[in-house]
Amino acid sequence: MNAFQKLVEHSNKVSNFRHLSSIVGWDQAAVMPSGGAEARSNAMAELEVHIHSLMTQPHLGDLFAQAEAQTLSASEQAVLREMKREWQQANLLPESLVHAQSLAGSKCEHAWRSQRGNNDWDGFEKNWAEVVKLSQEEAQIRAEATETTPYDAMLDIYEPGTTSAALDTLFADVKTWLPSLIDEAIEKQKHNNILLPSGHYPTDKQKALGLEVMKLLQFNFEHGRLDESVHPFCGGVSTDVRITTRYDENEFVQSLMGIVHETGHARYEQGLPQSLAGTPAGEARSMGIHEAQSLFFEMQLGRSEAFVDHLARLAANHFQGAEFEQENLSKIYTHVNKGFIRVDADELTYPAHVILRYEIERDLMNGAIKHTDVPELWNEKMKAYLGLSTEGNYKNGCLQDIHWTDGSFGYFPSYTLGAMYASQFMAAMKQTVDVDAAIRSGDLSPVFTWLADNIWSKGSLLTTDELVSKATGEVLNAKHFKAHLENRYLG
């Protein structure tokens, strides 16, 4: 067995433990009783330390040196590149920090579940202080090793090759046209006759409808399942994908489209190249590309008139009411409203929520602000971007997201990058695929074949820019996102 093969074998071992970690994480979020929190946190921390130990074994350096001297195919070179990147990143962090972060993150996230509902910023802040401190320590270590800013070092975990300088430019442009576009859309919709949910929508019926929609989206139930959690997410592994949503029996809007969103994530996972499974080259390219899949499903497909036709038809199997008629559903799913909650936000106001979080986490990791400044800054930015005050309203302000509870700083830009990529993918797809006809037929295979051929099957063999360029003929170009929004909301 040569050096490259030994590295692949070792990567598969690490992947098996990550598989277990992922499923345990799903269990913690979806079904674990509250009394299991402390013991589970200790077990997960121990597992994270073990994985870190495997990834940093001293002999791996020699294997990488030997493998780089081998004659490898183009795909093998990509596999080696991604394995080495992962190895280098793991070696930056001491085992003690990995252990402390896992414990602090589990403690903070578990407590957050009740603290948010109680609007308890003071209680949350006590736990979060440790998470932020450890994340800043990690960011500084990474920054010194890569000669970047602390935030850029964290951003690179989720968006390899992206910098805050590039994001600042990108988001600054969005802020020049988004506010007026939001106001114009709201004005245009002012006289819309829209019937909002006003009945009782039992959870079991909502779930049954969601499962039918997942079938329409060709989710493979032999390799995945739908469950419920406080915060919707997609977890597990490509051969066992776990998606969740949350239900509110007073409305159906968010749970249904949440399922569409998470199914996009899941289809990407299920479509990753199995020949590369167990290596980082067989994983998703970046979180921005991952979010592009979920937002392609939710925004590009899910809110199109052709797809809403299917939602109305399927909903009739479970619910009665004029609110489920196609025309009304279309109005609901394209209704623009300046609201507090990111996950409930419409497509047009959503980027404002992301930019707000990006600016705060960037400055927090770079040490320009303190974690105790966050509520006040959140309020200031919400008033500036959406005209809303969150003063004293922590539940609907800075406590609403799960991401910062475990130190996932650098993640939030992925959402708007994903929306931009999704728009660009749709524009490219329409050059060769009659998307509307495929949706209306009820067989979306042509759409999914394009995504599988151009995105899913590539895993991380290509860099993000290479992947996007090969799929669309150009690197990320935000004009497609702006054009999509103007066409849908002002056209």
Side-chain angles (χ1 to χ4, degrees):
M1 187 181 294
N2 62 37
F4 175 77
Q5 291 169 331
K6 289 178 180 178
L7 286 169
V8 170
E9 183 181 68
H10 185 79
S11 180
N12 274 271
K13 179 184 291 187
V14 172
S15 178
N16 286 335
F17 282 104
R18 283 181 169 163
H19 179 151
L20 298 177
S21 178
S22 183
I23 297 300
V24 167
W26 164 84
D27 178 90
Q28 182 184 42
V31 298
M32 185 191 78
S34 60
E38 184 176 353
R40 178 63 56 84
S41 295
N42 289 332
M44 292 180 72
E46 191 71 33
L47 184 54
E48 286 301 311
V49 167
H50 180 68
I51 292 171
H52 182 263
S53 176
L54 284 175
M55 294 176 65
T56 56
Q57 290 181 356
H59 75 282
L60 294 176
D62 291 335
L63 289 178
F64 277 111
Q66 294 169 30
E68 287 174 335
Q70 291 179 225
T71 301
L72 302 174
S73 67
S75 62
E76 288 173 334
Q77 289 174 23
V79 170
L80 182 62
R81 178 196 71 216
E82 293 302 313
M83 288 193 299
K84 186 173 183 180
R85 166 183 157 79
E86 199 172 68
W87 169 71
Q88 289 173 326
Q89 289 207 338
N91 271 284
L92 294 176
L93 304 182
E95 187 176 286
S96 58
L97 178 59
V98 173
H99 186 263
Q101 285 182 303
S102 182
L103 285 176
S106 291
K107 179 182 179 181
C108 186
E109 187 272 332
H110 185 75
W112 163 83
R113 298 185 201 181
S114 58
Q115 289 165 345
R116 184 197 172 194
N118 295 328
N119 200 42
D120 182 10
W121 163 257
D122 290 337
F124 175 79
E125 184 272 326
K126 290 180 175 64
N127 291 328
W128 197 47
E130 181 68 7
V131 172
V132 172
K133 180 179 78 70
L134 294 171
S135 295
Q136 288 174 330
E137 184 179 338
E138 176 187 355
Q140 190 60 45
I141 291 171
R142 293 184 182 279
E144 290 174 0
T146 55
E147 298 183 343
T148 59
T149 66
Y151 182 72
D152 278 6
M154 297 294 278
L155 179 63
D156 192 63
I157 299 171
Y158 305 99
E159 298 298 329
T162 300
T163 65
S164 55
L167 291 177
D168 288 343
T169 300
L170 192 66
F171 292 159
D173 175 65
V174 171
K175 288 197 290 187
T176 64
W177 52 262
L178 184 64
S180 60
L181 184 54
I182 292 172
D183 290 338
E184 287 178 57
I186 290 174
E187 180 63 28
K188 183 180 179 183
Q189 295 180 357
K190 185 176 292 185
H191 302 295
N192 268 4
N193 291 318
I194 181 171
L195 183 61
L196 296 173
S198 59
H200 176 66
Y201 309 97
T203 293
D204 59 340
K205 291 188 176 183
Q206 290 194 54
K207 182 172 183 178
L209 173 58
L211 290 170
E212 286 196 54
V213 173
M214 290 170 69
K215 291 176 184 176
L216 176 65
L217 294 170
Q218 299 182 16
F219 179 88
N220 185 346
F221 286 94
E222 291 186 359
H223 292 284
R225 54 180 289 133
L226 170 67
D227 291 284
E228 187 175 354
S229 66
V230 175
H231 189 97
F233 71 94
C234 175
V237 295
S238 62
T239 54
D240 182 8
V241 184
R242 309 296 180 90
I243 73 169
T244 70
T245 192
R246 58 183 177 186
Y247 300 101
D248 179 347
E249 295 199 335
N250 294 313
E251 66 96 11
F252 60 87
V253 176
Q254 297 304 324
S255 68
L256 182 55
M257 205 52 72
I259 288 173
V260 175
H261 178 98
E262 299 303 338
T263 301
H265 281 305
R267 287 299 315 275
Y268 185 21
E269 288 291 323
Q270 291 179 340
L272 289 170
Q274 287 304 302
S275 62
L276 299 175
T279 74
E283 297 173 0
R285 173 59 258 171
S286 73
M287 286 315 304
I289 297 299
H290 225 312
E291 290 301 332
Q293 308 314 300
S294 60
L295 293 171
F296 187 97
F297 274 55
E298 179 190 358
M299 302 302 183
Q300 300 296 321
L301 289 180
R303 293 171 199 257
S304 68
E305 288 188 10
F307 193 83
V308 173
D309 278 343
H310 289 295
L311 293 185
R313 173 178 56 81
L314 294 172
N317 297 329
H318 307 279
F319 298 102
Q320 304 293 318
E323 65 266 42
F324 291 100
E325 293 179 2
Q326 190 277 337
E327 184 178 353
N328 191 67
L329 275 182
S330 285
K331 289 178 181 178
I332 287 176
Y333 282 122
T334 55
H335 181 61
V336 180
N337 177 57
K338 295 179 181 180
F340 290 104
I341 306 301
R342 176 186 63 84
V343 295
D344 294 344
D346 57 84
E347 182 180 24
L348 202 48
T349 60
Y350 198 100
H353 291 272
V354 171
I355 292 171
L356 175 154
R357 289 155 173 78
Y358 159 69
E359 292 174 345
I360 290 176
E361 70 176 15
R362 175 198 63 196
D363 292 348
L364 185 60
M365 287 299 101
N366 286 339
I369 62 173
K370 298 177 182 178
H371 76 282
T372 49
D373 297 330
V374 169
E376 183 179 353
L377 285 170
W378 192 289
N379 181 44
E380 290 176 5
K381 290 179 183 294
M382 278 296 285
K383 287 193 288 188
Y385 298 164
L386 292 171
L388 300 171
S389 173
T390 58
E391 185 174 359
N393 184 6
Y394 309 112
K395 174 182 178 180
N396 294 323
C398 59
L399 289 186
Q400 67 181 268
D401 296 297
I402 196 172
H403 305 66
W404 287 345
T405 64
D406 68 353
S408 296
F409 298 102
Y411 186 102
F412 276 118
S414 302
Y415 288 112
T416 291
L417 288 173
M420 292 177 174
Y421 286 129
S423 299
Q424 191 163 327
F425 293 154
M426 179 60 90
M429 183 185 297
K430 285 183 174 179
Q431 294 177 14
T432 57
V433 177
D434 189 338
V435 176
D436 191 68
I439 299 173
R440 291 194 184 281
S441 74
D443 181 4
L444 280 68
S445 296
V447 172
F448 301 142
T449 296
W450 190 97
L451 290 171
D453 290 346
N454 290 281
I455 310 297
W456 302 345
S457 65
K458 306 300 182 186
S460 286
L461 289 173
L462 306 173
T463 67
T464 303
D465 281 352
E466 289 171 345
L467 180 71
V468 176
S469 294
K470 284 183 177 293
T472 69
E474 58 181 335
V475 296
L476 179 63
N477 187 338
K479 75 174 186 181
H480 298 290
F481 181 52
K482 183 180 180 183
H484 161 70
L485 295 177
E486 289 176 337
N487 180 62
R488 175 169 284 175
Y489 295 95
L490 300 183

